[in-house]
Amino acid sequence: MTSTDSAQQPADAPAKAPAKDPWDLPDVSGLVVGVLGGTGPQGKGLAYRLARAGQKVIIGSRAAERAQAAAEELGHGIEGAENAECARRSDIVIVAVPWEGHGKTLEALREDLVGKLVVDCVNPLGFDKKGAYALKPEEGSAAEQAAALLPESRVAAAFHHLSAVLLEDPEIDEIDTDVMVLGEVRADVEIVQALAGRIPGMRGIFAGRLRNAHQVEALVANLISVNRRYKAHAGLRVTDV
């Protein structure tokens, strides 16, 4: 038998399934999204955009009253609750807290986040006279810190490069940007991609596993420099995809 013959499949071998279309994403419209840190600019902006797109959203804060006040201000059916209640009632939980409180917040909510899909969008940054610069957490990135602190949750990373100014502006209907999504499980990544795609103008793009999160988080320091120089609210677009 020749090498060519030996490479041929038996006649009765099952046909290979066609490759899955990477843009065939799940319907996430019925999922409840919680936003920890939802009273800060980034969290409020994300909550507003997702709720405006028809998503059920709960804002979380250490103080329920602050969360409820922010929810009333934003409208669109958004609710406010203390962080633990927000985590328990949500299917997907976006972490948008300041880097300084990231570890302590997640540690305190470990039990409430068991089994949840947790989407980390925190950027570890420092600032000095030269501007913003990236910090390198001991675990490698904020997302990897979240994964280490939440062993019974499913952790993904996304929504790092969005301008809070654009997110919160009710006069803007579409936000022209791509969202880098990182994670270990394809199904979870696709849920987050689909969630990003609910916001007009946005696409969720798979950008690797969590070990690649540091450079995605760090790129925000570059975008801050771009924005300062050009007085802009820059985002990212991935070409040829």
Side-chain angles (χ1 to χ4, degrees):
M1 182 181 289
T2 67
S3 59
T4 305
D5 292 332
S6 63
Q8 289 177 347
Q9 288 188 324
D12 58 350
K16 257 190 175 180
K20 184 179 183 295
D21 180 351
W23 296 111
D24 180 14
L25 300 173
D27 178 8
V28 297
S29 58
L31 299 180
V32 178
V33 178
V35 184
L36 303 179
T39 58
Q42 192 81 356
K44 276 176 75 175
L46 279 168
Y48 171 69
R49 286 290 157 182
L50 289 168
R52 181 168 156 171
Q55 209 75 35
K56 174 61 187 170
V57 177
I58 303 171
I59 281 178
S61 174
R62 285 177 297 177
E65 298 79 15
R66 280 188 68 201
Q68 288 158 3
E72 285 177 22
E73 176 191 336
L74 294 174
H76 294 279
I78 297 172
E79 293 183 45
E82 189 270 333
N83 278 335
E85 182 186 344
C86 171
R88 287 193 297 269
R89 291 178 56 198
S90 302
D91 301 303
I92 304 173
V93 178
I94 297 174
V95 182
V97 299
W99 166 240
E100 294 73 22
H102 183 262
K104 285 184 180 178
T105 300
L106 295 183
E107 234 175 340
L109 296 172
R110 181 179 291 145
E111 296 303 316
D112 302 296
L113 291 169
V114 168
K116 306 288 183 180
L117 175 51
V118 177
V119 184
D120 203 296
C121 71
V122 174
N123 303 304
L125 297 176
F127 295 86
D128 61 17
K129 290 181 180 178
K130 296 181 180 180
Y133 61 94
L135 303 174
K136 185 97 181 238
E138 184 180 338
E139 298 85 354
S141 64
E144 287 168 295
Q145 183 183 89
L149 291 172
L150 304 173
E152 295 183 75
S153 303
R154 297 133 53 210
V155 176
F159 301 114
H160 302 89
H161 305 139
L162 305 180
S163 162
V165 173
L166 299 184
L167 289 173
E168 291 189 275
D169 188 342
E171 299 300 314
I172 294 175
D173 294 323
E174 293 191 7
I175 298 180
D176 179 26
T177 193
D178 287 331
V179 172
M180 304 292 98
V181 184
L182 303 97
E184 300 301 315
V185 179
R186 179 181 290 187
D188 291 338
V189 169
E190 290 181 348
I191 288 171
V192 183
Q193 286 181 263
L195 189 65
R198 297 270 288 158
I199 300 173
M202 283 191 197
R203 299 185 305 173
I205 304 286
F206 170 66
R209 294 178 179 268
L210 288 185
R211 69 181 184 180
N212 292 320
H214 169 66
Q215 57 263 37
V216 173
E217 296 169 0
L219 188 58
V220 173
N222 302 88
L223 289 176
I224 289 171
S225 297
V226 169
N227 289 337
R228 284 181 175 171
R229 174 62 63 89
Y230 298 102
K231 304 197 183 317
H233 303 293
L236 295 179
R237 272 291 188 210
V238 179
T239 61
D240 200 32
V241 175

